[in-house]
Amino acid sequence: MDNRIIKTEYSEEMQKSFIDYAMSVIIARALPDVRDGLKPVQRRTLYDMYELGIRYDRPYRKSARIVGDTMGKYHPHGDSSIYEALVVMSQDFKKGLPLVDGHGNFGNIEGDGAAAMRYTEARLARITQEAFLADLDKDVVDFVPNFDETEKEPAVLPVKIPNLLVNGSEGIAVGMVTSIPPHNLGEVIDAVKAYMLNENITTNELMRYVKGPDFPTGGIVINKDELQEIYETGTGRIKVRGRVEFEKSKGGRTNVVITEIPYPMIGANISKFLSDVASLSETKKTQDIVDISNQSSKEGIRIVIELRKDADAENFVNMLYKKTRLEDTFGVNMLAIYNGRPETMGLKQIIKASVDFQYQTATRKYTNLLAHENEKKEIQEGLIKACNVIDLIIEILRGSKDRAMAKGCLVDGNTEGIKFKTKESAIMAAQLSFTEKQANAILEMRLYKLIALELEALIKEHDETMANIYRYEDILDRRDSMKQVIINELDGYKREYSRKRRTVIENAQEAVYKEKEPEEMDVVFLMDRFGYAKTIDMTTYERNKDAADSENKYVITCKNTGKICLFTDIGQMHTLRMSDLPFGRFRDKGIPIDNVSNYTSDREELIFAAAQSDLNLRQLIFVTSRSMMKIVSGGEFDVAKRTVSATKLSEGDRLVSVAVLLEQQNIILQSKNGYFLRFPVAEISEMKKTAVGVRGMKLGDSDLIETVYYTGNTELTMIEYKGRSIMLNSLKGAHRDTKGTKLRT
């Protein structure tokens, strides 16, 4: 047993295991291969469909059949990943060149998912069969064992177009991510041809052909000048806008119609866009919207926003660009597997890798074809030669005892044991010297081959074989000939499958949106004990004053253009803009302040709130649980930042009270252990917000300040403490930094 226990450093084993796992995810799952532009799950799915005979000109087969077969033979990582790959390869709004012909509900551009695999059907697309799988039977790529070594699968598909550029790719590996936009097939083929004719071509020159990405959803790329650097380095950010048109409706109103969306918006982001537009109206960012409707269909995207009659449509569209995803960013990171390892590549590097792969597969293809034609030539020449001496061969066959004797005579001229009609026949037979393959073909030849027309066809076939041999040898011996063959194939795919560019590439000006300043007015900020906040107008507040005061923890009058300062027990001050809060009816729920500020309710507790404008000419009194206190000028909290440190706290301390200094004369500190200390507010020092403060009460071990009260000199303030009524002004007056009086209960 001890001999089987391996002792190793734990950190080394963890490091090795993690690296093994990371490389497995990177190479075998998440990243595409630069040669065929496919991830392993995509490659295996297409190959399985090819093996099952689900061709473009044959009936569809159930997706569940394809997924199950792929999972059982090649991809043991769960059926959901395989079906998702199958679905994506069929979606023309995600792929510039769909590789699968789907039948049934395969999802839509608005984010609705595909139906379950048992309901949908699929088959290979024609381009996939012709440009991805056509030469698999010609031994042009290596085959490797599958996961359990019971099947063979191609290490890469013999793809004849730069699929990585045409369809793009997205994937997340361990510590790296790939994001490659789709491009126009015709433009990419032109760029490949230009590279093949001049391998010293620059990226800038290649971009005469590849203008930029061509998204299936269209749209407008607005940073044309930045594309060259993106294609040089393989990384960058492409800015995309949706296409907008203006239509006049009844009553002279203008409709803003969105007919194309940015590529990153496909899916659930369309509904998010609609929600964001509606939110602009609800939060009073714009009052130009009359109605919004999504009229998209199978014919394409059509989102209609109806504006008020006097609305500035151009300014409204610029607002959409600035505040919604109608203008979005596609992050480019052209990372793919190259020579067995992940590498970020530019446009020229990807094209070079694709062309090198084309030369490699073409060399293997025509080498195998040449060997096949040479074999045909050998047999054809043997049959033609045999037809010329057919009487002799028939005499040999009739005079032989068995097949081996006849074959020996045909190959070596061995006439021993064969009965001939004449000595001349024996002499001629001894001179025969057919090859093994020719002899076998002669022995298996059927009599109808002796017909004159059949012989003529054989000679014609031999001429064709010789022409093929000459052509294949020329292709293999001369790189220019192979180059021309590849270019001719590319031209064929371009004629058959290319389409017009959908995405416009231009340099557009930054969207300038002139936001209308809201009319300044007094509002009332309401926040309940659950942290939900809203604003209402003064008239609404006056009508519901009693309910508003009793139901809410904070009721603060301020301007609708102002801010609320939120002080928390961990010494932070968060600012909350009134414009970020919903303005409306008294019974509206409001929104959590966590959503519109940096305040985090599960990490800190709100202890005081006030309008920022009310603090500028005031002073604030801060008291902590360890009895550190100070007075701070309210002007220090007139800041632009959303969060600042309101006070400095020692370790383990927390803020228990913040109050505006008005006409308070005395402060009363109450500790957890029942000590009360009353002393004049004037004894508290004024300090900066970054100071710790001075001590208010001398606390015993484990004692902390629990509550803080304020009174005037003549004011009578009664509190309840542990069932006992206490008049605060009757407490014995003392000085700061003393122990205080313990009240007995």
Side-chain angles (χ1 to χ4, degrees):
M1 184 68 177
D2 292 341
N3 295 334
R4 286 182 286 173
I5 297 176
I6 300 173
K7 294 184 179 181
T8 182
E9 180 65 33
Y10 182 74
S11 60
E12 292 178 2
E13 184 64 27
M14 285 294 293
Q15 183 179 12
K16 179 180 180 298
S17 298
F18 181 77
I19 291 174
D20 290 344
Y21 164 73
M23 290 307 296
S24 172
V25 172
I26 291 167
I27 303 296
R29 296 183 72 172
L31 300 185
D33 193 298
V34 70
R35 295 171 293 178
D36 62 6
L38 299 171
K39 298 178 187 179
V41 64
Q42 296 170 324
R43 184 181 305 117
R44 289 164 176 168
T45 303
L46 295 178
Y47 177 66
D48 186 74
M49 294 175 73
Y50 172 80
E51 285 288 283
L52 290 173
I54 312 174
R55 313 298 168 84
Y56 78 93
D57 53 354
R58 296 183 185 176
Y60 295 95
R61 297 281 290 276
K62 282 289 185 183
S63 299
R65 172 73 169 90
I66 299 167
V67 170
D69 202 64
T70 303
M71 182 169 60
K73 289 182 178 178
Y74 309 115
H75 197 75
H77 298 294
D79 56 1
S80 59
S81 63
I82 301 171
Y83 186 50
E84 183 180 350
L86 181 72
V87 168
V88 170
M89 287 191 290
S90 73
Q91 293 174 329
D92 57 3
F93 53 86
K94 284 189 178 179
K95 295 295 180 183
L97 192 68
L99 304 180
V100 171
D101 178 8
H103 183 244
N105 177 13
F106 274 81
N108 59 35
I109 195 171
E110 297 185 40
D112 296 327
M117 68 181 80
R118 62 184 178 274
Y119 299 121
T120 61
E121 297 175 327
R123 64 185 177 188
L124 290 172
R126 183 179 173 189
I127 180 65
T128 312
Q129 193 167 320
E130 293 180 356
F132 285 62
L133 300 160
D135 289 337
L136 271 177
D137 58 345
K138 296 181 178 65
D139 190 31
V140 293
V141 294
D142 294 332
F143 278 71
V144 296
N146 69 337
F147 63 92
D148 61 358
E149 299 187 356
T150 58
E151 302 279 347
K152 291 282 188 178
E153 61 175 305
V156 62
L157 294 186
V159 179
K160 299 179 181 180
I161 58 174
N163 180 54
L164 188 64
L165 288 174
V166 174
N167 273 327
S169 185
E170 292 183 7
I172 300 174
V174 178
M176 57 184 67
V177 61
T178 184
S179 180
I180 304 172
H183 295 80
N184 184 273
L185 175 64
E187 292 180 2
V188 171
I189 287 176
D190 287 342
V192 170
K193 288 161 56 181
Y195 172 81
M196 294 179 73
L197 296 173
N198 175 20
E199 294 189 357
N200 294 319
I201 193 170
T202 64
T203 300
N204 188 39
E205 291 170 333
L206 284 171
M207 289 184 66
R208 295 176 188 171
Y209 308 98
V210 179
K211 311 295 184 185
D214 187 21
F215 298 109
T217 54
I220 305 168
V221 171
I222 63 172
N223 58 334
K224 179 180 178 181
D225 288 345
E226 297 176 18
L227 294 182
Q228 183 176 343
E229 184 179 355
I230 292 173
Y231 284 123
E232 285 276 9
T233 62
T235 60
R237 297 166 69 84
I238 296 174
K239 295 180 181 178
V240 195
R241 285 179 181 170
R243 185 178 296 278
V244 176
E245 298 174 357
F246 298 114
E247 294 179 357
K248 287 294 182 181
S249 63
K250 295 179 181 179
R253 290 176 176 170
T254 299
N255 287 348
V256 172
V257 182
I258 299 163
T259 57
E260 294 177 3
I261 60 173
Y263 187 66
M265 196 197 282
I266 59 177
N269 287 322
I270 292 180
S271 59
K272 174 71 166 57
F273 168 75
L274 296 172
S275 174
D276 289 343
V277 174
S279 179
L280 291 174
S281 181
E282 291 170 1
T283 56
K284 306 299 181 183
K285 292 286 172 56
T286 179
Q287 296 182 352
D288 292 339
I289 300 174
V290 175
D291 188 31
I292 178 171
S293 60
N294 185 3
Q295 300 175 12
S296 303
S297 64
K298 291 182 179 180
E299 281 68 44
I301 292 292
R302 181 177 169 83
I303 298 171
V304 181
I305 304 172
E306 188 177 344
L307 303 183
R308 287 189 300 109
K309 188 173 182 179
D310 58 344
D312 184 344
E314 293 284 353
N315 190 54
F316 177 78
V317 170
N318 285 338
M319 180 187 68
L320 295 182
Y321 288 147
K322 298 290 283 186
K323 296 186 176 294
T324 71
R325 298 192 70 168
L326 190 59
E327 178 178 315
D328 212 338
T329 300
F330 184 94
V332 177
N333 187 32
M334 297 200 287
L335 179 72
I337 303 300
Y338 179 61
N339 287 337
R341 64 192 192 95
E343 187 169 328
T344 300
M345 293 176 284
L347 175 64
K348 183 178 177 180
Q349 289 173 286
I350 293 175
I351 290 176
K352 178 183 181 302
S354 176
V355 170
D356 289 345
F357 182 56
Q358 295 308 310
Y359 278 121
Q360 177 187 331
T361 55
T363 300
R364 289 181 63 166
K365 173 183 176 180
Y366 288 106
T367 299
N368 294 330
L369 288 176
L370 178 60
H372 181 65
E373 291 298 316
N374 279 325
E375 187 176 331
K376 283 172 62 179
K377 170 195 167 188
E378 179 184 343
I379 293 172
Q380 288 165 355
E381 289 178 344
L383 292 176
I384 292 171
K385 181 180 173 183
C387 287
N388 292 332
V389 291
I390 191 62
D391 293 335
L392 176 61
I393 290 175
I394 291 173
E395 193 172 340
I396 293 170
L397 294 176
R398 294 184 67 181
S400 299
K401 294 181 179 179
D402 52 31
R403 179 188 174 99
M405 184 180 288
K407 185 177 179 181
C409 182
L410 294 174
V411 174
D412 302 321
N414 184 3
T415 59
E416 186 178 347
I418 299 176
K419 296 178 180 180
F420 292 97
K421 293 180 179 179
T422 64
K423 289 183 179 181
E424 288 79 4
S425 297
I427 293 170
M428 291 176 64
Q431 296 173 1
L432 296 177
S433 59
F434 291 101
T435 65
E436 287 272 347
K437 292 180 181 177
Q438 289 174 338
N440 286 330
I442 291 168
L443 292 171
E444 294 168 1
M445 182 175 65
R446 297 185 179 182
L447 290 176
Y448 77 88
K449 289 288 185 182
L450 300 177
I451 300 171
L453 290 177
E454 287 294 329
L455 180 58
E456 186 179 332
L458 180 61
I459 294 172
K460 184 179 178 182
E461 185 181 342
H462 177 257
D463 291 340
E464 291 175 356
T465 300
M466 293 304 296
N468 287 339
I469 289 173
Y470 173 78
R471 178 168 170 263
Y472 297 156
E473 287 177 343
D474 180 63
I475 291 172
L476 292 169
D477 293 341
R478 296 176 61 247
R479 188 176 177 88
D480 285 346
S481 296
M482 183 176 291
K483 180 191 303 181
Q484 193 57 51
V485 168
I486 296 173
I487 288 175
N488 290 342
E489 285 186 337
L490 291 172
D491 284 338
Y493 296 133
K494 180 182 176 181
R495 283 193 303 271
E496 189 69 26
Y497 300 106
S498 66
R499 55 164 176 75
K500 290 184 179 180
R501 164 173 279 278
R502 295 173 181 168
T503 302
V504 174
I505 309 293
E506 64 182 29
N507 284 314
Q509 293 182 346
E510 185 77 18
V512 177
Y513 164 58
K514 296 179 181 178
E515 190 167 359
K516 293 181 181 178
E517 292 293 331
E519 182 181 347
E520 191 172 79
M521 58 182 286
D522 287 330
V523 296
V524 179
F525 166 79
L526 303 177
M527 192 188 87
D528 63 23
R529 60 192 180 91
F530 300 107
Y532 283 80
K534 60 180 177 285
T535 59
I536 58 175
D537 60 48
M538 292 297 296
T539 305
T540 303
Y541 172 68
E542 293 297 337
R543 280 201 312 267
N544 302 276
K545 187 176 187 306
D546 292 341
D549 292 344
S550 62
E551 294 173 6
N552 292 283
K553 185 176 181 180
Y554 293 101
V555 180
I556 302 170
T557 302
C558 58
K559 297 292 184 184
N560 61 334
T561 56
K563 298 178 182 178
I564 296 291
C565 295
L566 308 172
F567 294 84
T568 70
D569 64 335
I570 63 173
Q572 298 289 305
M573 186 201 78
H574 306 292
T575 56
L576 172 61
R577 291 193 299 255
M578 293 298 93
S579 57
D580 291 337
L581 292 173
F583 174 82
R585 295 172 298 187
F586 175 65
R587 286 300 171 190
D588 288 346
K589 187 175 183 180
I591 60 174
I593 58 173
D594 302 50
N595 294 359
V596 288
S597 70
N598 291 338
Y599 172 74
T600 310
S601 57
D602 58 357
R603 190 175 63 91
E604 52 192 332
E605 180 185 350
L606 181 61
I607 60 171
F608 180 70
Q612 191 177 66
S613 57
D614 291 344
L615 300 182
N616 289 338
L617 301 177
R618 307 283 187 181
Q619 291 178 306
L620 297 177
I621 305 175
F622 287 79
V623 182
T624 76
S625 63
R626 292 190 174 176
S627 194
M628 303 307 294
M629 56 199 317
K630 63 184 176 184
I631 294 176
V632 181
S633 170
E636 290 199 45
F637 302 103
D638 187 2
V639 294
K641 291 183 177 180
R642 299 190 69 180
T643 299
V644 295
S645 176
T647 187
K648 186 176 181 180
L649 296 174
S650 58
E651 187 176 353
D653 202 1
R654 70 180 187 89
L655 202 56
V656 295
S657 173
V658 178
V660 177
L661 180 58
L662 298 171
E663 297 179 356
Q664 304 97 318
Q665 301 295 323
N666 301 297
I667 182 171
I668 297 94
L669 304 179
Q670 175 205 319
S671 78
K672 184 178 67 173
N673 291 343
Y675 285 88
F676 284 76
L677 176 63
R678 172 174 169 261
F679 62 90
V681 170
E683 294 187 13
I684 305 174
S685 302
E686 183 173 350
M687 298 180 176
K688 294 291 185 183
K689 67 179 182 180
T690 54
V692 174
V694 295
R695 186 164 63 179
M697 176 192 289
K698 288 182 178 179
L699 297 171
D701 293 342
S702 74
D703 200 5
L704 296 171
I705 297 297
E706 195 172 66
T707 311
V708 180
Y709 305 101
Y710 295 94
T711 66
N713 281 336
T714 60
E715 182 181 358
L716 298 178
T717 304
M718 183 80 71
I719 66 166
E720 290 290 328
Y721 178 71
K722 295 186 177 180
R724 176 182 171 184
S725 297
I726 299 173
M727 188 72 69
L728 292 178
N729 272 11
S730 68
L731 294 172
K732 180 182 178 182
H735 294 284
R736 183 184 64 78
D737 201 19
T738 56
K739 190 173 182 181
T741 304
K742 184 176 178 64
L743 294 185
R744 302 186 183 278
T745 57

